[in-house]
Amino acid sequence: MAIGSGAGGDAAQRHEPVGLRIATTIADARAWRLGVSGSVGLVPTMGALHAGHLSLVERGRSENDHVAASVFVNPTQFAPHEDLSRYPRDLDRDRALLADAGVDLLFAPPPDEMYPAGFSTAVEIAGPALGLEGERRPGHFRGVATVVLKLLNGIGPDRAYFGQKDAQQLAVVRRMARDLDLPVAIVGCATVREPDGLALSSRNVYLGPEDRKAAPVLYRALTRVTSLWAAGERGAATLRRAMEEVLAIEPRARVDYAALVDPETFEAKDGRCEQALAALAVFFGSTRLIDNVVLPPALAD
Ligand code: AMP
């Protein structure tokens, strides 16, 4: 049995977490779900946990009777040239953080549990998966959607929590849930940042000291576009240029994209926009950081 238990307790009656259980197989994760009463929230992650992940856990705890988190570095969402082999991994640390955060189940399967020999199925999403990250990382959202669907099917949560930090991923998962009638609510959660504005990311550990100092330029570019928006600017070209101008000040930043897109469809915005997502992808050396901000429709525009 791959489920390990922390403190004991009657799972059928409890609503307070009584200890972290660990499942490494889908069968055991599902057995856990069938054994608990009330609602379950799921927080899918790739581990190397930080306060951004833990904010999703906290939200999940506040809205559900039980919270599960998964830690799985999903190989199918990495392109061959990407950082799969050096992606940070520390399951012991993750387990301790999740236990402290009151998570009830940690699902940490090995790759061949998720992708056994002969695995031949993938979820292909068009629409919001096509531009930006989808264009630059071919196959990325196919890998994300497939693994998320497997996690949702395997664990059967009532709600699943995703960060706005990965806005396109959130839009793709929402679209999949809607298109495939998945019986789960997809909940988007605000981006958690360092004091200097840098969005928390497991990949921030790749940044050397100089690049770490330079990286908050993403936040400054997003802050600039937010204040222009608040002042009434609605021209997509002007807003985009404003982000590019801020990024151009930082010589260490190599811009992959600075885009204004529709927050649901991810189609590029042109002309005047009433709402938009300002999205950035910027390289510092070989480390690629993404960030975004929603430019909401004004109440009285
Ligand atoms: P990852 O482990 O990078 O796949 O992220 C797992 C989940 O945590 C995803 O839904 C991310 O969007 C979310 N997440 C990552 N960074 C942050 C952050 N800084 N603030 C809020 N959520 C985040």
Side-chain angles (χ1 to χ4, degrees), residues 44-47 50 52-53 56 87 162-163 165-166 169 190-192 200:
T45 82
M46 297 205 301
H50 51 64
H53 298 115
L56 272 54
Y87 194 84
F162 294 86
K165 152 88 167 49
D166 299 285
Q169 169 174 280
T191 301
V192 177
L200 297 187

Side-chain angles (χ1 to χ4, degrees), residues 37-90:
S37 62
S39 61
V40 166
L42 172 66
V43 180
T45 82
M46 297 205 301
L49 299 180
H50 51 64
H53 298 115
L54 297 178
S55 74
L56 272 54
V57 167
E58 191 50 46
R59 177 89 179 265
R61 259 170 54 98
S62 73
E63 295 179 350
N64 298 278
D65 298 310
H66 309 276
V67 181
S70 59
V71 170
F72 180 62
V73 183
N74 176 35
T76 65
Q77 71 189 68
F78 289 77
H81 65 277
E82 292 182 344
D83 56 343
L84 173 63
S85 61
R86 70 177 186 128
Y87 194 84
R89 291 167 170 88
D90 191 343

Side-chain angles (χ1 to χ4, degrees), residues 112-156:
D112 61 359
E113 173 69 13
M114 296 300 273
Y115 302 111
F119 189 91
S120 316
T121 304
V123 181
E124 187 75 49
I125 293 166
L130 294 181
L132 302 187
E133 296 299 297
E135 197 178 326
R136 286 156 182 89
R137 306 182 65 187
H140 172 67
F141 286 125
R142 186 187 312 126
V144 167
T146 305
V147 81
V148 169
L149 183 59
K150 280 179 67 76
L151 291 168
L152 295 174
N153 275 339
I155 299 173

